[in-house]
Amino acid sequence: MQTNPSPLTESQAGSYAGPSFRRVEQISWDEFSRRGEGLSKRAHPLLIKDAIRHWPATQRWTFEQLAALRRRDGSEVLTRFQIGIAEQGESRQDVIQPIAPYLLSLARAQRDAFAAGDDQRGLLSAHQRAGLSPTDVFRLDWSYMKTLPRDQPYISLWHILKEFPQLKDDFRIAEIWPGLRWDWAYTFLGPGKSVTGFHYDYPNNLFCQVSGAKEFLLFPPDQNAYMAPSSKYDWGGKMSHVDITRLDEQPERAAMFAQASGLYARVESGDALFVPRRTWHAVVSSIPSVSLAVFGLTPRELVVDGVPSGVRAALHAVGLYGRGNCTCHGKAAPDTQLAAPEAR
C-alpha cells in the first residue's frame, strides 16, 4: 500500500524535497546464512548487517596499519588520488602520491568525527532513522549537501589486492557470494563528507564496509527516465548528469530527479551491501571510511557486458571513443592538498 512521504522537517521547509525513498531490504548475517539463498539470482539491493564483522579485515584494515604497508623492496606505497567527483561535470586529473601521510591524517580525522558525533549526521540523521519503519516513505535532507567540501582527495578504485595479494586472506567473499564468476575488487579510502556521484555499474557489486559509515542512494533500472544518463565514458558503467552536490544549479534535472522513487541504505562498519548490476547509486561518506567493492560477472554477463566494455576500453585507450569526456582523463589540479579535512 502506498503511504505518504514523511513531512519535511522545519529546516527542510521550502527547500528542495527531492525523490521519495524507502529503506533498502535488510537482513542480519545470521538470518542470511541460515536461509542459504545466496545472491546469485538476486535482482534487488540487500543490506546484510554484520556480514563481514568476523572477517580479519575489520581488525587489520585500520588506517594506521594500511599506512604501514611497504613494497617488497621496502619503499613507500604510492597510488592515485581522485580529486572531487569524477562522475559528473569536468573530471580532475588524478594525483599520484604516497598513501601513508594521507591515511594517518584520516585516522586522526576518524577519531575526531566520532567524538563530534558526525557519524549521526547525514542526508538522514540518526534521529530521523530511528523513527522510520521498513515500509515508510520519506525524503532526505538535501541541505546537508551544502555542508560538504568540494574537491576532496580520495583513494578510489585502488586495486590493492592485486598489489598486495597476501591481503586477500583478510576477506572471505565466498561466504557471502559463492559461485562461478569473474570478479575483481577495489578499495576506497577517504574522508568524511566525500561523495561518489550517481552512476551504475555493469557488474554486480558486493560492497563491504570495513570501517566508517556511508549513505547509499539507490535507484533500480525502472527509474532510468529520471536519472538523466550521460555520455561520459567510464570503463565499468554509465554516468548520470544528476549532480547531488549541485542540484540548485540544475533546476530542470533536479525537478525530473524529484519524481524518482529510490532506496536508502546506511552501510556501517561490518556491513555488506549487494548492489545489482545497472542499479543507479550515489554514495556519501558520513565519516572517514575504509571500503572494499567486489565486482562480479557470471560467464553469461561477461559476454553480454564484459566484452563490449572491453572493446570500448580499447577504443578509448587509442582516443577513438569517449576521449575528452571521461572519468579517467581530467583537468590538472595543481597544488592539491592531500591532507584529510578536519572532522568539523
Side-chain angles (χ1 to χ4, degrees), residues 66-112:
L66 292 173
L69 286 173
R70 293 295 182 268
R71 304 291 186 194
R72 288 185 178 180
D73 62 2
S75 61
E76 62 182 348
V77 179
L78 283 72
T79 195
R80 293 182 178 275
F81 288 76
Q82 177 180 305
I83 308 301
I85 299 175
E87 293 78 15
Q88 283 81 46
E90 184 178 41
S91 298
R92 305 289 293 274
Q93 182 176 311
D94 290 347
V95 177
I96 299 177
Q97 294 284 349
I99 67 167
Y102 177 77
L103 295 184
L104 291 175
S105 68
L106 286 180
R108 293 189 294 270
Q110 188 183 70
R111 291 191 293 269
D112 292 345

Side-chain angles (χ1 to χ4, degrees), residues 5-267:
S6 301
L8 299 180
T9 64
E10 183 175 340
S11 64
Q12 291 172 285
S15 63
Y16 179 70
S20 60
F21 287 88
R22 285 188 173 87
R23 298 179 75 162
V24 74
E25 183 182 350
Q26 178 176 310
I27 191 171
S28 70
W29 165 246
D30 288 342
E31 179 67 12
F32 178 83
S33 56
R34 185 187 66 78
R35 289 184 184 181
E37 297 173 352
L39 299 170
S40 59
K41 297 182 180 180
R42 187 167 186 87
H44 304 289
L46 179 67
L47 177 61
I48 310 172
K49 298 294 292 182
D50 294 327
I52 72 166
R53 191 169 296 280
H54 59 291
W55 291 1
T58 58
Q59 300 299 318
R60 299 176 184 170
W61 283 48
T62 65
F63 287 120
E64 292 91 344
Q65 292 188 69
L66 292 173
L69 286 173
R70 293 295 182 268
R71 304 291 186 194
R72 288 185 178 180
D73 62 2
S75 61
E76 62 182 348
V77 179
L78 283 72
T79 195
R80 293 182 178 275
F81 288 76
Q82 177 180 305
I83 308 301
I85 299 175
E87 293 78 15
Q88 283 81 46
E90 184 178 41
S91 298
R92 305 289 293 274
Q93 182 176 311
D94 290 347
V95 177
I96 299 177
Q97 294 284 349
I99 67 167
Y102 177 77
L103 295 184
L104 291 175
S105 68
L106 286 180
R108 293 189 294 270
Q110 188 183 70
R111 291 191 293 269
D112 292 345
F114 276 120
D118 284 358
D119 59 314
Q120 302 302 307
R121 303 182 179 96
L123 287 161
L124 194 66
S125 69
H127 174 73
Q128 291 169 311
R129 293 194 306 272
L132 292 173
S133 76
T135 59
D136 280 346
V137 178
F138 54 90
R139 309 282 184 179
L140 301 179
D141 180 5
W142 292 101
S143 66
Y144 175 72
M145 299 304 295
K146 293 299 182 183
T147 71
L148 274 57
R150 293 180 176 176
D151 295 334
Q152 292 196 94
Y154 185 38
I155 299 178
S156 174
L157 297 172
W158 182 19
H159 209 336
I160 189 174
L161 299 186
K162 183 177 181 180
E163 294 190 44
F164 299 94
Q166 71 273 18
L167 298 181
K168 292 180 181 179
D169 294 338
D170 293 338
F171 291 87
R172 300 169 181 171
I173 302 301
E175 283 187 355
I176 304 177
W177 200 10
L180 177 63
R181 66 182 179 278
W182 177 50
D183 60 21
W184 62 102
Y186 291 108
T187 300
F188 297 80
L189 303 158
K193 297 186 175 182
S194 59
V195 178
T196 298
F198 267 118
H199 67 287
Y200 70 64
D201 301 305
Y202 294 120
N204 295 309
N205 176 5
L206 181 65
F207 191 89
C208 304
Q209 190 68 17
V210 180
S211 72
K214 293 185 174 180
E215 295 180 290
F216 270 75
L217 315 182
L218 305 121
F219 293 86
D222 63 10
Q223 300 296 299
N224 282 356
Y226 309 114
M227 298 308 300
S230 78
S231 59
K232 189 171 190 176
Y233 171 74
D234 180 82
W235 180 84
K238 186 77 172 176
M239 306 297 107
S240 168
H241 279 300
V242 175
D243 185 342
I244 58 174
T245 68
R246 302 174 185 266
L247 288 169
D248 56 339
E249 301 172 23
Q250 304 181 309
E252 292 185 5
R253 287 175 183 150
M256 182 65 72
F257 177 54
Q259 299 178 50
S261 298
L263 298 170
Y264 171 91
R266 178 177 167 83
V267 188

